Amino acid sequence: MPRKRNGKSHGAPTIAQVATEAGVSPATVSRVMNGRFVGADEIAERVLQAAARLDYSPSYSARSLALGHTQAVAFVAPDLRNPAFQTILSGLSATAGDDGYRVLIGDSAESVSEEPLLAREVRRRCDALVLCAPRMDQEELSGLAPALQPMVLINRSGGGAVPTLNVDYYSGIRSLLEHLHDLGHRRIAYVSGPAHSASNEHRRAGIRSFRDRHPETGVIEVAGGASSQDGFEAVDSVLRAEVSAVLAFNDLVAIGLIGGLQDQGRSVPEDISVAGFDDIPFARYIAPPLTTASVPHEELGIQAWYRLRALIKGQEPAHDVVFQPRLEVRSSTAAPQSSPR
Amino acid sequence: MPRKRNGKSHGAPTIAQVATEAGVSPATVSRVMNGRFVGADEIAERVLQAAARLDYSPSYSARSLALGHTQAVAFVAPDLRNPAFQTILSGLSATAGDDGYRVLIGDSAESVSEEPLLAREVRRRCDALVLCAPRMDQEELSGLAPALQPMVLINRSGGGAVPTLNVDYYSGIRSLLEHLHDLGHRRIAYVSGPAHSASNEHRRAGIRSFRDRHPETGVIEVAGGASSQDGFEAVDSVLRAEVSAVLAFNDLVAIGLIGGLQDQGRSVPEDISVAGFDDIPFARYIAPPLTTASVPHEELGIQAWYRLRALIKGQEPAHDVVFQPRLEVRSSTAAPQSSPR
DNA sequence: GCCCTGCTAGAAAGCGCTTTCTCAGTCTAG
DNA sequence: CTAGACTGAGAAAGCGCTTTCTAGCAGGGC
């Protein structure tokens, strides 16, 4: 048995102490504290007063054990520094908070290999899970899914039983490409996302479909990643590709790209157009304001909670939804120069 | 007693089941799972195999109750949408994660009145707390502190016993003001933070000290807030003040301000200089790149964890630190026009 | 050859709740 | 006036672990 066995000198007061103080049984205290007490008002009052006097508040651990649930849900994402995930988290946390649930975070810090372990761990600490695991192998994900339920998946297909919230990257990327094409661009670079990213694959599928429709337009893929740093480092490859426009995996990459391009004396959009994806909160404020495909991340977090809540209650969750990104044309894209230098 | 009483059909396997499966006692299972087992290797092996076969993993609730701790810490902040808090959280989460601790978030969504309750709640769910409560009344904070320990406070003084990580807003604001003054500005607006914000008070003290040194320079305070929206809405007051430069409570406010100013046809920094505070990750990328005072938020999160860890272990935490913001001069500030229009 | 020591593994208590079960007391009806 | 139906509150079991305590069994010293 744990530490001290007798003296209850320090530490939080227990239900037993309150019971003693009020001269009732622990059962009664429990009932009063949970509003399940039927009986003499005078007793309830005594319990309340005793509780107040001792500054009692029930142990969450004990409660969780007895009840079999924790009133908390987990959120795992590959990179908490990315505003897109932060915004999902913020929406999730606020909405879950309204229902008295808190969120426990699992930041896999880009380590794909640790992700399954991390997901299992945080899931077992909570009642449910919201999983953003863009790079996890599909087989692994499918294998993991049963052990993780109840959960909702963001931007992955869970193979059937698990509610999923998706962003239509396929259409989003196509809109962006069409926009660039309408502007007159015929050679466009795509700075791709991390290897094995599911959403990167969707974007590539969108690119293929665009190519089929516009065979005259070249879309050159160059290696990228998910961070501004990756965008910055992709600048040379982009320049080498001699394109008039570049589409980045996401806004972060686009921002790094713009910074690097400017460092090299190129101006955006005069010399080269740049578009991102996500519409993170600052995309509109950067120089130049970023053309991007807007994704309602906060709403993703909110809807994720609604589904989780249904699942937790044993109800049928609302149907899956595929969010359509909204093309957000700003000033980082423009018609190509007639005479490229 | 909870739900089912006999059948252990569904639900996670318990230590008792593993014990039965392996033909040993629960005590032995517990010991081998925790590496405290000394004895026949063959037995350990049998337990491990049984555990693997049942896909057993110990219940966190039960473990927490027995052990008296949760291996989790809480983080409460007034607005999770603010990149400054997100960055602190990210640093905290990553560092705590390395030590096997997870973080539970409490987003008070700007509701100052709910904050004490929220802080108590999330604190009681965890082993410790990192509290960012810039607006909480000092009395209330001091009263609350004992109940919240172990905790570390960000940007507040905890009245003695509680480790605190502070940013020197006083000096930061002075540097910014000196920078503006050096540029030649003699009428400067300060778009203040939320009412009752402790860090706003520090900034104001910095302003007073600057005024004493440069009595010829007017610093006009106009009401603001903490969000971009607040900055946007402060534009009219700023314009009415007829200043050549404006210092914002933070970067978010500065960004809103710049947006609003541009909407009204003013250009930054030609017509009016704007400076922020915090150096959020995107400050350097906005148009124009924002002059600001850089605060190492991630480091705040990291150091917060180190102190929490010491506290949890019953050790003496490292001493408090006051981070000095670094003046980051970028293009949103410039010398005033000789002939203001 | 016997007693004591040392070691391994199990029995059981306890962590702080919730809830079922139980029982004494009260009410109402016949 | 008593039997049956409630009612109100306590006893106790159980949630799934950890850890102390205990007992059984070898091994070694005299």
Side-chain angles (χ1 to χ4, degrees), chain B residues 2 4 11 38 43 48 51 68 115 162-163 166 168 175 185 187 199 224 237 241 243 279 283 334:
Chain B
K4 55 207 166 63
V38 286
I43 292 186
L48 260 10
E115 229 163 42
V162 14
N166 273 288
D168 189 350
S175 306
H185 295 278
R187 267 184 77 80
S199 73
S237 320
V243 296
D279 196 20

Side-chain angles (χ1 to χ4, degrees), chain A residues 236-251:
Chain A
D236 286 345
S237 321
V238 168
L239 258 17
R240 235 176 289 122
E242 302 194 323
V243 296
S244 60
V246 41
L247 193 50
F249 173 70
N250 66 20
D251 289 349

Side-chain angles (χ1 to χ4, degrees), chain B residues 174-184 291 327 329 333-334:
Chain B
R174 281 197 45 167
S175 306
L176 250 7
L177 249 11
E178 293 287 353
H179 160 69
L180 259 11
H181 183 265
D182 288 351
L183 248 21
T291 291
L327 179 64
V329 176
T333 51

Side-chain angles (χ1 to χ4, degrees), chain B residues 1-8:
Chain B
M1 69 209 75
R3 290 82 58 91
K4 55 207 166 63
R5 39 192 315 97
N6 51 328
K8 7 234 359 172

Side-chain angles (χ1 to χ4, degrees), chain B residues 128-132 138 140-166 304 307-308 311 316-321:
Chain B
L129 168 71
V130 174
L131 179 62
C132 303
Q138 183 62 47
E140 182 137 46
L141 214 205
S142 304
L144 208 51
L148 263 25
Q149 252 146 356
M151 79 162 154
V152 356
L153 239 24
I154 307 275
N155 281 331
R156 291 301 298 257
S157 111
V162 14
T164 304
L165 261 18
N166 273 288
R307 283 161 182 72
L308 238 38
L311 253 16
E316 188 70 17
H319 37 264
D320 291 352
V321 0

Side-chain angles (χ1 to χ4, degrees), chain A residues 218-263:
Chain A
V219 182
I220 297 94
E221 179 167 338
V222 324
S227 70
S228 292
Q229 182 66 19
D230 295 320
F232 190 88
E233 289 167 1
V235 167
D236 286 345
S237 321
V238 168
L239 258 17
R240 235 176 289 122
E242 302 194 323
V243 296
S244 60
V246 41
L247 193 50
F249 173 70
N250 66 20
D251 289 349
L252 249 27
V253 172
I255 288 171
L257 219 32
I258 291 176
L261 251 12
Q262 289 174 163
D263 276 4

Side-chain angles (χ1 to χ4, degrees), chain A residues 117 119-125 147, chain B residues 11-18 29 33 48 50-63:
Chain A
L117 236 59
R120 290 181 99 104
E121 183 208 309
V122 296
R123 164 60 187 84
R124 296 216 66 246
R125 284 173 179 247
Chain B
T14 73
I15 200 174
Q17 293 176 49
V18 177
V29 176
M33 297 303 287
L48 260 10
R53 217 167 325 148
L54 299 182
D55 192 23
Y56 169 76
S57 101
S59 148
Y60 280 91
S61 298
R63 204 144 195 282

